[in-house]
Amino acid sequence: DAGCHCYILGTLESKSGVSEAQTELKKKVLHTLWEEVLRFPLTEEEMPGGTLTLTLRNCDKFSRHSIVGELKLNLAEMEESFGKAQWERLKSPEKEPSTGHGEVLLSISYLPAANRLLVVIIKAKNLHSKQLKDLLGSDVSVKVTLRHQSLKLKKKQTKRAKHKINPVWNEMIMFEVPHELLRASSVELEMLSQDGAGQSHVLGKCSLGLHVTGTERNHWEEMLRNPRKQIAMWHQLHM
């Protein structure tokens, strides 16, 4: 499909937990070239037990994601290969990754001349939750909070989207952030649904900034490196 893009998601599992990083989206061609570095926090003591999984994923024009193949590397066995370039064959994934509490697609950009941070909430998928079956079909909105370090500066909320499992907003939220505060700032998203009594329930959340790891940090770094450019990424929601 000529409309496909692809990216590589790296997942490092070690004693200290799981961290993620992903490349940018590239147009899918016969020979796709990234020339990007994925960085993961890892101490020398954690090396022998570490496992790195590189997953090649497709993203079509409707933002449907599918896994093309993956590569699992035990770092203990890879020591002799460090610093060398080599081809590895991708294998079919052992299992489809769990979507947990669902995923959200958003783009962020910073306009230095206007000191404006633009957050576009595009859509979410797989928001169903076993604990919240009674909320299926309820409207859902996204609360976006701007923080500077631990201080909450401002919060704004999208309109309610009608369909809860895969809602679409395509809504822009704008914050004024002086350039010198940007690196120490962050944005937190909360997916909210209302029950019949009007009570709000959090379905999942994620936070973008330099204080987190994986794709949430990666997204913020991409924005800092590319002023005025809209950078879009999917993020896993958690509780």
Side-chain angles (χ1 to χ4, degrees):
D1 181 354
C4 272
H5 287 69
C6 57
Y7 65 97
I8 290 175
L9 175 69
T11 307
L12 180 71
E13 293 181 56
S14 65
K15 282 180 185 173
S16 60
V18 178
S19 57
E20 288 185 338
Q22 74 178 47
T23 65
E24 64 178 36
L25 283 170
K26 289 278 188 181
K27 188 83 173 170
K28 190 183 173 192
V29 290
L30 194 58
H31 301 292
T32 309
L33 189 67
W34 277 281
E35 295 190 318
E36 285 185 60
V37 175
L38 301 183
R39 288 188 174 85
F40 302 92
L42 187 72
T43 64
E44 208 169 329
E45 297 76 51
E46 292 170 328
M47 264 289 291
T51 305
L52 177 65
T53 305
L54 298 173
T55 309
L56 178 63
R57 296 185 174 205
N58 259 353
C59 173
D60 67 15
K61 59 187 174 184
F62 304 108
S63 293
R64 288 182 299 225
H65 289 233
S66 59
I67 295 178
V68 180
E70 69 178 16
L71 177 64
K72 270 192 187 297
L73 303 169
N74 291 319
L75 298 187
E77 299 167 11
M78 290 295 296
E79 213 157 340
E80 289 179 18
S81 308
F82 285 162
K84 296 177 187 171
Q86 60 192 59
W87 286 99
E88 295 280 356
R89 189 173 291 281
L90 293 171
K91 295 178 181 172
S92 296
E94 292 168 9
K95 58 177 181 177
E96 276 289 317
S98 164
T99 54
H101 295 278
E103 295 177 81
V104 61
L105 176 65
L106 66 135
S107 78
I108 51 175
S109 63
Y110 185 70
L111 309 177
N115 285 339
R116 281 183 181 165
L117 175 67
L118 306 180
V119 182
V120 181
I121 311 298
I122 301 169
K123 58 180 163 183
K125 63 181 181 181
N126 300 324
L127 289 186
H128 50 269
S129 165
K130 286 176 187 171
Q131 296 82 13
L132 298 166
K133 278 183 182 170
D134 54 324
L135 291 174
L136 285 177
S138 300
D139 294 351
V140 64
S141 60
V142 184
K143 184 167 79 173
V144 185
T145 304
L146 174 70
R147 291 174 177 266
H148 178 66
Q149 294 170 342
S150 59
L151 187 69
K152 286 186 182 180
L153 294 184
K154 209 161 202 177
K155 56 186 177 186
K156 297 186 178 183
Q157 199 157 329
T158 66
K159 296 182 181 120
R160 289 185 195 166
K162 284 289 173 197
H163 185 52
K164 192 188 102 46
I165 296 176
N166 299 302
V168 178
W169 293 276
N170 284 323
E171 192 171 330
M172 179 185 286
I173 286 178
M174 186 179 71
F175 296 107
E176 288 198 18
V177 186
H179 190 265
E180 60 273 15
L181 299 184
L182 193 60
R183 290 188 68 84
S185 297
S186 62
V187 166
E188 183 180 86
L189 273 71
E190 285 183 292
M191 223 44 80
L192 300 173
S193 188
Q194 281 194 337
D195 61 20
Q199 186 74 32
S200 279
H201 298 266
V202 179
L203 302 177
K205 55 189 174 183
C206 71
S207 184
L208 308 184
L210 298 181
H211 67 297
V212 287
T213 57
T215 56
E216 296 174 358
R217 179 188 176 103
N218 191 234
H219 201 171
W220 201 259
E221 288 176 334
E222 280 285 304
M223 177 199 68
L224 292 174
R225 282 196 296 268
N226 299 279
R228 294 174 294 280
K229 184 180 176 185
Q230 284 278 349
I231 312 281
M233 282 191 195
W234 282 96
H235 295 285
Q236 294 276 349
L237 294 167
H238 48 81
M239 292 300 279

